[in-house]
């Protein structure tokens, strides 16, 4: 019989760390090969009081060029990247044969928009961490000048684990160039 559903609330810092730890444990125990985790949807308007930010994230993302809002967004962005770094370090610490969990995985981190003020869906901020079992060429900042759809990245990721497909969604037309070894 399942236990009671956990209550919603508590400190978001504790929630994120607990989720990162659970994700690593789930992979380490081989309970799953795929995890999706979203810190919050774009309209959640989360307040980051622990960072000294009293306004909602969504509200300040419509910064209108205001330096104070941009500074607050930078503070939030840094905190979010620190949480990603925590997850990646935890994954790297798990030994798997001659390698580690991070090297044997792919971690996709992004936002659905480039800039909250303009709602632009081009030039998305994307981090792809891990080596996908040695298939991904890492340690680079790759810029694509022809604006390929993000779906092409998903095709590339799927192909690294043996899923051969040439299209994905409405826009995916093939794997990205210069991503794999």
């Amino acid at each position: 019989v399942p236990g009671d559903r956990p209550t919603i609330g508590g400190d978001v810092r504790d929630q994120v760390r607990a989720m990162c730890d659970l994700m690593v444990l789930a992979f380490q125990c081989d309970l799953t090969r795929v995890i999706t985790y979203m810190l919050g949807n774009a309209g959640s308007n989360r307040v980051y009081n622990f960072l000294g930010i009293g306004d909602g994230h969504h509200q300040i993302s419509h910064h209108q060029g205001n330096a104070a809002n941009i500074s607050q967004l930078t503070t939030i962005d840094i905190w979010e990247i620190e949480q990603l770094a925590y997850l990646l370090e935890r994954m790297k610490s798990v030994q798997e044969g001659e390698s580690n969990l991070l090297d044997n995985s792919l971690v996709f981190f992004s936002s659905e928009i480039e800039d909250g003020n303009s709602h632009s869906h081009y030039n998305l901020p994307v981090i792809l961490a891990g080596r996908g079992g040695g298939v991904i060429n890492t340690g680079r900042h790759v810029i694509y000048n022809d604006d390929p759809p993000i779906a092409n990245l998903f095709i590339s990721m799927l192909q690294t684990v043996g899923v051969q497909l040439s299209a994905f969604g409405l826009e995916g037309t093939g794997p990205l160039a210069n991503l794999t070894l």
Side-chain angles (χ1 to χ4, degrees):
V1 175
D4 293 334
R5 180 180 179 165
T7 59
I8 297 174
D11 191 315
V12 68
R13 295 170 290 187
D14 295 335
Q15 292 173 3
V16 171
R17 288 294 166 103
M19 284 303 300
C20 288
D21 291 340
L22 284 171
M23 289 186 286
V24 171
L25 284 171
F27 284 133
Q28 189 175 7
C29 295
D30 204 20
L31 292 174
T32 187
R33 298 287 182 174
V34 178
I35 294 175
T36 301
Y37 177 60
M38 182 171 67
L39 182 59
N41 68 41
S44 71
N45 216 25
R46 172 176 281 130
V47 175
Y48 291 82
N49 286 323
F50 63 92
L51 295 174
I53 299 171
D55 293 326
H57 188 193
H58 185 89
Q59 177 185 341
I60 62 174
S61 73
H62 293 277
H63 55 77
Q64 299 178 359
N66 179 302
N69 286 349
I70 293 171
S71 176
Q72 290 178 334
L73 287 172
T74 300
T75 299
I76 293 168
D77 290 346
I78 290 169
W79 180 80
E80 289 179 348
I81 292 297
E82 289 171 347
Q83 305 323 297
L84 173 64
Y86 174 79
L87 172 65
L88 299 178
E89 285 297 322
R90 291 275 292 116
M91 292 176 74
K92 190 174 181 178
S93 73
V94 175
Q95 196 66 30
E96 290 189 336
E98 299 295 317
S99 191
N100 61 64
L101 177 59
L102 178 60
D103 283 346
N104 291 328
S105 302
L106 289 176
V107 177
F108 171 83
F109 179 90
S110 185
S111 173
E112 72 277 12
I113 57 174
E114 172 195 11
D115 175 49
N117 197 57
S118 66
H119 283 210
S120 172
H121 295 278
Y122 298 95
N123 196 26
L124 297 177
V126 173
I127 295 173
L128 184 63
R131 297 179 188 273
V135 176
I136 300 296
N137 188 3
T138 62
R140 305 172 299 138
H141 178 201
V142 181
I143 298 172
Y144 293 95
N145 295 320
D146 56 348
D147 294 326
I150 194 74
N152 286 0
L153 173 58
F154 301 143
I155 292 171
S156 296
M157 292 172 69
L158 287 165
Q159 286 185 356
T160 67
V161 295
V163 178
Q164 295 305 313
L165 67 151
S166 57
F168 186 88
L170 298 175
E171 297 181 337
T173 57
L176 288 175
N178 303 318
L179 190 62
T180 58
L181 295 173

